[in-house]
Amino acid sequence: MPQNRIMLDVLRGKAHFPPPLWMMRQAGRYLPEYRETRRRAGSFLDLCYDPDLAVEVTMQPIERFGFDASILFSDILVVPHALGRDVRFEEGRGPLLTPITVPEILALESKVFHVNLEPVYETVRRLRAKLPDETTLIGFCGAPWTVATYMIAGHGTSDQAPARLFAYSEPAAFQHLLKVLADHSAAYLIHQIEAGADVVQIFDSWSGVLDDASFEQFCVQPVAEIVRQVRAVHPDVPIIGFPKGAGARYQTYRQKTGVTGLGIDWTVPLEAAKDLQRSGAVQGNLDPLRLVAGGKALSDGVEAILKALGGGPLIFNLGHGITPETPIAHVEAMVKQVRSATR
Ligand code: CP3
């Protein structure tokens, strides 16, 4: 493993100042070059499964901004898709799936899971060969709970009521679904690592809607299982967990799942984030809307994070994905401010 990928150093607990920097959803619709490739690709899933085009869009933000890390271009919903579920992305409506039933959950399996995902592994191989040596390559998957919310509701919702109700009403089927997703997600991450990913991130975007017992059962345990399976094969590859909205549960989440780094959303108080740095690296946590607004809202937000967290292991990032309406000039201003920061 090259020594010059500073994000890896930070994930091993070392502080770097200025910190390494990348953005969640850095390849996306705020970039005109992404919109152009996206048009050529046809459907969103065609883009995810075409290594030529997926490499092209993954590289776009690296070529423009020179981020320290590159995240594979794909989506968390390729896992249910590769398991044979119907997944579509419609302009302006987000993902649409056929809601899964109890008998379908109990029969859920695919003998061609990795065959279906081979184009994603090919994208990772080509990216590692193409990226600058100092750029960390991040692979990823969705956490079982977050992926399950889409499989059950068939679309995004704000409070995940369909999945919560299903989990309480059909506990055995729901546990089975989490187990199938955890096993396949772990195998998926292992294949990405073997194709060249230096780090993997587990996105649990909807972990903030659960009560205590459900958070433990639906978020912590399945992610701990993924971490266990990945570590059994690749003990040294850092794993970042991003349980968005986990609030007061962030600390125990790291302890119980065993993730190396913690992705923190923008609602995590900086003092609390500083405490979290005692047990390892944190990644975040600029409010993406400060980046949309720009100006003082942006520079104050960046400065507060660097001041509070810059002395410990920090990966500078947004607290959630960049939004399509973000002006490119604001991203440039943020990169400049982080890169030129002095202590
Ligand atoms: O640059 C990167 O970050 C890598 C690519 C990436 C995408 N999705 C591309 C994408 C990653 C890491 C994801 C993760 C993802 N996908 C999550 C977890 C992180 C989060 O944002 O909470 C979730 C919940 C999904 C599911 C998903 N995919 C939704 C809800 C949507 C629609 C919302 C939207 O922004 O349109 C998508 C579509 C999607 N995934 C787009 C991109 C660039 C936009 C679709 C398009 O270009 O047509």
Side-chain angles (χ1 to χ4, degrees), residues 80 83-86 97-110 151-152 166 173-174 176-177 180:
L83 279 166
R85 302 301 300 164
D86 169 46
L97 296 82
T98 304
I100 195 164
T101 61
V102 170
E104 285 170 340
I105 287 175
L106 299 177
L108 192 61
E109 63 163 341
S110 173
M151 293 176 77
I152 289 166
F166 186 96
F174 190 67
H176 182 73
L177 177 58
V180 171

Side-chain angles (χ1 to χ4, degrees), residues 255-271:
Q255 279 160 2
K256 289 184 176 174
T257 60
V259 295
T260 323
L262 270 185
I264 53 174
D265 66 77
W266 68 89
T267 68
V268 175
L270 293 174
E271 271 309 307

Side-chain angles (χ1 to χ4, degrees), residues 271-301:
E271 271 309 307
K274 216 170 157 171
D275 281 342
L276 292 172
Q277 279 183 317
R278 288 185 224 281
S279 57
V282 297
Q283 172 175 282
N285 72 339
L286 187 77
D287 183 345
L289 294 188
R290 286 190 184 265
L291 193 58
V292 175
K296 186 165 156 43
L298 174 58
S299 58
D300 285 355

Side-chain angles (χ1 to χ4, degrees), residues 22-29 34 38 43-44 47-48 57-58 61 71-77 89-95 140-142 146 150 156 203-206 242 244 320-322 324:
W22 68 282
M23 299 190 304
M24 286 187 276
R25 287 278 178 98
Q26 62 191 16
R29 286 164 295 181
Y34 172 85
R38 172 81 176 76
S43 81
F44 176 72
L47 177 53
C48 293
V57 293
T58 308
I71 184 161
L72 158 72
F73 189 85
S74 180
D75 195 83
I76 64 168
L77 298 177
F89 287 83
E90 274 179 25
E91 210 62 61
R93 292 186 66 192
F140 72 93
C141 70
T146 288
Y150 291 97
F203 286 89
D204 215 345
S205 306
W206 295 112
F242 178 44
K244 181 171 178 283
H320 197 200
I322 184 170

Side-chain angles (χ1 to χ4, degrees), residues 225-236:
E225 178 60 22
I226 294 176
V227 172
R228 195 189 62 71
Q229 292 186 27
V230 173
R231 289 262 159 80
V233 190
H234 297 289
D236 299 326

Side-chain angles (χ1 to χ4, degrees), residues 84-236:
R85 302 301 300 164
D86 169 46
V87 178
R88 288 157 290 138
F89 287 83
E90 274 179 25
E91 210 62 61
R93 292 186 66 192
L96 294 174
L97 296 82
T98 304
I100 195 164
T101 61
V102 170
E104 285 170 340
I105 287 175
L106 299 177
L108 192 61
E109 63 163 341
S110 173
K111 296 203 163 44
V112 288
F113 180 73
H114 293 299
V115 177
N116 291 341
L117 291 169
E118 177 49 36
V120 177
Y121 307 142
E122 176 62 16
T123 301
V124 176
R125 281 191 286 271
R126 292 194 200 173
L127 280 171
R128 192 54 282 173
K130 192 164 182 171
L131 281 165
D133 196 47
E134 66 275 13
T135 310
T136 300
L137 177 57
I138 306 169
F140 72 93
C141 70
W145 161 249
T146 288
V147 174
T149 64
Y150 291 97
M151 293 176 77
I152 289 166
H155 54 87
T157 72
S158 59
D159 58 2
Q160 309 317 322
R164 282 156 56 212
L165 186 58
F166 186 96
Y168 296 134
S169 317
E170 299 287 351
F174 190 67
Q175 276 308 318
H176 182 73
L177 177 58
L178 292 179
K179 174 76 176 129
V180 171
L181 289 173
D183 290 346
H184 286 81
S185 302
Y188 178 48
L189 293 181
I190 289 166
H191 276 66
Q192 291 181 44
I193 292 166
E194 286 166 4
D198 303 305
V199 174
V200 290
Q201 175 156 330
I202 303 171
F203 286 89
D204 215 345
S205 306
W206 295 112
S207 69
V209 300
L210 295 169
D211 70 20
D212 242 18
S214 304
F215 183 82
E216 170 71 28
Q217 258 187 301
F218 308 158
C219 291
V220 171
Q221 287 177 14
V223 170
E225 178 60 22
I226 294 176
V227 172
R228 195 189 62 71
Q229 292 186 27
V230 173
R231 289 262 159 80
V233 190
H234 297 289
D236 299 326

